Amino acid sequence: MRKEIVLITGANGEMGHGLIAHLGETKKYSIVAMDVQPLDDSLRPYCERFIQGDILDLMLLGRLVSEFEIRTIYHLASILSTKAEYNPETAHRVNVEGTLNLLRLAVEQSSWQGRPVKFIYPSSIAAYGLPSVAAKEKAGKVKEADWCQPITMYGVNKLYCEHLGRYYTTNYRQLAADHNKFTVDFRSIRFPGLVSSVTIPTGGTSDYGPEMLHHAAQGIPYSCFVRPDSRLPFMVMPDAIKSLLMLEAVSREKLTQLVYNVTSFSPTALDFYNQVKNAFPKAVVTFEPDMARQAIVDSWPADVDDSMAARDWTWKPDYNEKRAFDEYLIPSIKARYS
Ligand code: AKB
């Protein structure tokens, strides 16, 4: 008998930390975690197994199929927007071919089990691409189907993988006699910039928010790479984890689409600074925009419309801006660095 598990790729990343700690605490699932980097010691007790390896390694994925019965895949591994621009082709391999490998693994598992494996895929506001700051200001809350012309390799990869997930769910092997028998149950969330009190993201373009905060808490000066008036949607990690778990749990019939926006609050970089300065009055932050990274932020929406998630699976964030800083970020970051 193969053991029933939940597979989490990108386990040592920002979201992996939050998800593993949360699922691990519930003790409801056996977790098999995967990452190219070693897993933090703090997460090991929550995992049935940790596999250090690459999602491009087909032999490794093949061994997983023979050993485990995978109920849900949280495919969190990816190369983020800024890092992806330094080597777009490598990013494409990891972000797209890696996702394709996992979708094929999910299909194989579904067919062994005679039921669709759930495939939970964090997409991003990087899937959007607004052509100018004026268009961004005018667009307001962007809906899932609008402005899908991303300007980064990461955004292109995310948008395409959403389509791949839809294809595997509804049209995979559409000419075969057994079409639609055991395909996957793909569900995706387009996340805004994420902020965690535990980890600092690496290689993203919304990183100025969390970087400013973590630098200030450690008394390290920070040079912010976007203009003070730059506005992006953000969300704290507990809400991000909550949304992933809600989307995983909802019954398929309730879902009217496979890709959903979620959001919490939309501060400018200056709003972020004001929150940080309020909590850490000695913080030294300067604004020195990097034009190339600024252009990426300018192409992402200032806000997204998450009414479809609210309607289909009762999504609502627990944290607005005030609660996020006062009740989650500031107290836990102070405790972390004290
Ligand atoms: C990034 O900046 O690349 C990510 C994202 C918005 O998906 N944080």
Side-chain angles (χ1 to χ4, degrees):
M1 278 289 281
R2 292 177 307 170
K3 190 157 188 184
E4 189 168 304
I5 57 119
V6 165
L7 175 66
I8 302 178
T9 71
N12 203 47
E14 270 226 291
M15 211 179 260
H17 272 81
L19 184 65
I20 292 177
H22 186 95
L23 285 181
E25 288 295 340
T26 68
K27 296 193 170 53
K28 278 206 307 214
Y29 309 93
S30 289
I31 298 170
V32 172
M34 234 183 120
D35 203 296
V36 277
Q37 304 293 339
L39 190 68
D40 264 11
D41 288 344
S42 63
L43 298 177
R44 287 202 178 238
Y46 298 126
C47 300
E48 160 91 23
R49 176 90 62 86
F50 170 64
I51 299 160
Q52 186 169 354
D54 196 329
I55 51 172
L56 295 174
D57 183 345
L58 291 174
M59 292 292 282
L60 189 67
L61 297 183
R63 282 207 297 276
L64 273 178
V65 175
S66 57
E67 207 177 331
F68 298 106
E69 184 165 307
I70 303 170
R71 281 306 304 135
T72 300
I73 299 174
Y74 290 93
H75 175 36
L76 313 182
S78 87
I79 295 186
L80 295 184
S81 54
T82 292
K83 197 166 172 205
E85 290 309 306
Y86 289 110
N87 198 336
E89 290 76 21
T90 301
H92 187 279
R93 286 203 68 207
V94 173
N95 293 347
V96 174
E97 289 176 38
T99 303
L100 188 68
N101 290 346
L102 282 147
L103 282 164
R104 289 178 61 182
L105 179 146
V107 168
E108 204 183 330
Q109 280 278 325
S110 302
S111 125
W112 274 101
Q113 295 174 32
R115 54 183 176 173
V117 164
K118 281 189 191 157
F119 195 101
I120 311 298
Y121 180 69
S123 184
S124 161
I125 50 162
Y128 298 109
L130 290 115
S132 63
V133 175
K136 171 168 169 157
E137 275 164 15
K138 200 162 161 230
K141 285 178 179 286
V142 170
K143 289 186 194 302
E144 285 88 346
D146 296 339
W147 301 107
C148 288
Q149 281 103 23
I151 68 160
T152 60
M153 177 53 102
Y154 170 73
V156 168
N157 297 162
K158 287 292 184 192
L159 188 60
Y160 176 65
C161 287
E162 293 173 5
H163 288 301
L164 267 184
R166 189 178 301 109
Y167 169 77
Y168 270 85
T169 299
T170 52
N171 295 100
Y172 182 62
R173 300 182 71 236
Q174 53 195 300
L175 300 185
D178 65 351
H179 159 58
N180 239 342
K181 221 162 167 207
F182 305 118
T183 59
V184 304
D185 179 355
F186 176 89
R187 304 163 180 212
S188 177
I189 292 180
R190 283 193 191 147
F191 280 107
L194 298 178
V195 200
S196 162
S197 63
V198 183
T199 44
I200 314 174
T202 46
T205 316
S206 60
D207 293 4
Y208 60 87
E211 281 175 0
M212 198 188 290
L213 187 59
H214 283 265
H215 276 70
Q218 295 171 85
I220 304 171
Y222 182 66
S223 151
C224 178
F225 57 81
V226 294
R227 291 186 314 267
D229 68 336
S230 309
R231 192 186 290 281
L232 281 185
F234 277 94
M235 174 178 277
V236 287
M237 196 53 76
D239 269 338
I241 302 305
K242 171 177 142 165
S243 68
L244 280 178
L245 298 175
M246 283 181 82
L247 182 61
E248 199 272 348
V250 70
S251 71
R252 175 94 240 161
E253 302 72 58
K254 296 230 166 91
L255 301 181
T256 57
Q257 52 196 47
L258 300 190
V259 178
Y260 289 89
N261 284 336
V262 295
T263 191
S264 301
F265 51 96
S266 273
T268 60
L270 184 64
D271 295 334
F272 226 106
Y273 166 77
N274 288 333
Q275 292 282 3
V276 166
K277 193 78 180 163
N278 192 26
F280 303 101
K282 291 196 186 133
V284 179
V285 177
T286 50
F287 287 88
E288 293 165 44
D290 168 327
M291 285 315 165
R293 293 181 94 185
Q294 178 74 58
I296 294 176
V297 169
D298 288 344
S299 79
W300 292 350
D303 201 355
V304 293
D305 179 339
D306 59 1
S307 57
M308 294 308 283
R311 190 192 73 181
D312 289 358
W313 39 281
T314 65
W315 158 250
K316 192 173 179 295
D318 288 334
Y319 294 87
N320 58 18
E321 183 175 329
K322 186 166 168 29
R323 263 204 88 195
F325 280 91
D326 293 355
E327 294 178 34
Y328 167 65
L329 291 169
I330 303 301
S332 47
I333 283 183
K334 277 189 173 161
R336 181 175 176 208
Y337 294 115
S338 68

